[in-house]
Amino acid sequence: MEAAMGLMRRIPPKHIETALSALLGLLPDHATDLLSQVDQPLQVLCDVDNGREFILCEYNRDADSYRSPWSNKYHPLLEDGCLPSPELRKLEIEANDIFGVYRDHYYEGGISSVYIWEDLTDGFVACFLIKKDGSRSGHGRRGYLQEGAWEAIHVIQVGPEENGTTNYCLTSTVMLSLTTNNESSGTFSLSGSIRRQMNMNLAMTDGHLCNMGKMIEEMEGKLRNSLDQVYFGKTKEMVCILRPPRELLPEELPENRKI
């Protein structure tokens, strides 16, 4: 299992589904652990009752059906599927509205979904998902990429309130993939994923949604900086070493002035 997880951490996001399927065939006894620990590229389904798309993941799945955050119904229909309590459902509806505003401001479109369910420790767990298709045919507004996707998964375990404070444990994963194909840059492909964790005790003055929103905003900023330094920074460094820009090359003397 340890070797399998090490392999999956090194697989580009666009090949994760193929690699995971092969591992499930090789390690059927570890299927549950693999499916729960490996973050797969996010898929999208349309809620026919509302005409709105929602994101599929392990956190809104029951059997082979997925619960929509808009109608609170499973697709395909599942009569005895797990549902959040009325109190958490109210919080889930509000979280989806607020997170939609956050998505539009930071991502200029895309799809987001929030799912909340009860925990065994008198608290609850919330999952915030964002999928942005940055390709020319997707949600990309600038049209620079032939293919591109940013997929963020934020899972927050919220503990019970004690003395006016609550413990929040945030685990965030971002999967990035992009491909360009034009005259100026040529064909270029880059993909990778990064995972980080944050644990904080926060006062309940502003409520759960405010506290969780601040943590997600801070974490996404750190993840973007890490991706910029690790993936784009290192890639740019290697390209400049292999093919230095013309302005950095030693200036050659004209042919008639060479000694």
Side-chain angles (χ1 to χ4, degrees), residues 26-187:
L26 292 172
L27 304 170
D29 295 337
H30 296 281
T32 302
D33 292 332
L34 285 170
L35 290 172
S36 62
Q37 295 183 41
V38 175
D39 292 311
Q40 302 180 59
L42 301 174
Q43 304 297 324
V44 175
L45 188 66
C46 183
D47 185 336
V48 294
D49 293 335
N50 291 269
R52 301 178 67 179
E53 293 179 315
F54 63 97
I55 298 175
L56 314 182
C57 67
E58 283 298 306
Y59 306 107
N60 69 323
R61 182 174 69 88
D62 194 339
D64 293 325
S65 298
Y66 294 87
R67 183 172 66 87
S68 166
W70 313 122
S71 63
N72 204 30
K73 296 180 180 178
Y74 279 88
H75 302 269
L77 185 63
L78 185 66
E79 296 293 343
D80 56 348
C82 295
L83 299 174
S85 66
E87 181 181 357
L88 289 182
R89 174 58 184 161
K90 181 180 178 181
L91 185 67
E92 183 181 78
I93 293 173
E94 187 177 358
N96 274 284
D97 292 338
I98 294 174
F99 204 52
V101 176
Y102 172 90
R103 177 205 66 218
D104 286 337
H105 278 289
Y106 277 90
Y107 292 89
E108 298 182 347
I111 302 171
S112 65
S113 297
V114 181
Y115 303 104
I116 300 178
W117 65 96
E118 289 84 358
D119 192 17
L120 299 177
T121 59
D122 297 328
F124 64 89
V125 183
C127 178
F128 295 77
L129 306 167
I130 289 181
K131 182 180 178 67
K132 174 64 183 286
D133 182 357
S135 65
R136 293 172 185 156
S137 59
H139 309 124
R141 296 185 180 178
R142 296 183 174 88
Y144 295 146
L145 301 176
Q146 185 75 15
E147 296 178 6
W150 173 285
E151 299 174 331
I153 304 171
H154 304 283
V155 180
I156 305 180
Q157 187 170 4
V158 182
E161 182 178 349
E162 295 181 1
N163 300 322
T165 63
T166 300
N167 178 260
Y168 299 86
C169 182
L170 168 63
T171 302
S172 297
T173 303
V174 166
M175 292 175 284
L176 171 70
S177 62
L178 59 90
T179 301
T180 63
N181 186 13
N182 54 53
E183 292 183 1
S184 60
S185 64
T187 301

Side-chain angles (χ1 to χ4, degrees), residues 227-238:
L227 285 169
D228 182 52
Q229 294 171 10
V230 175
Y231 291 102
F232 296 102
K234 289 296 183 181
T235 300
K236 184 178 180 180
E237 180 182 341
M238 292 304 299

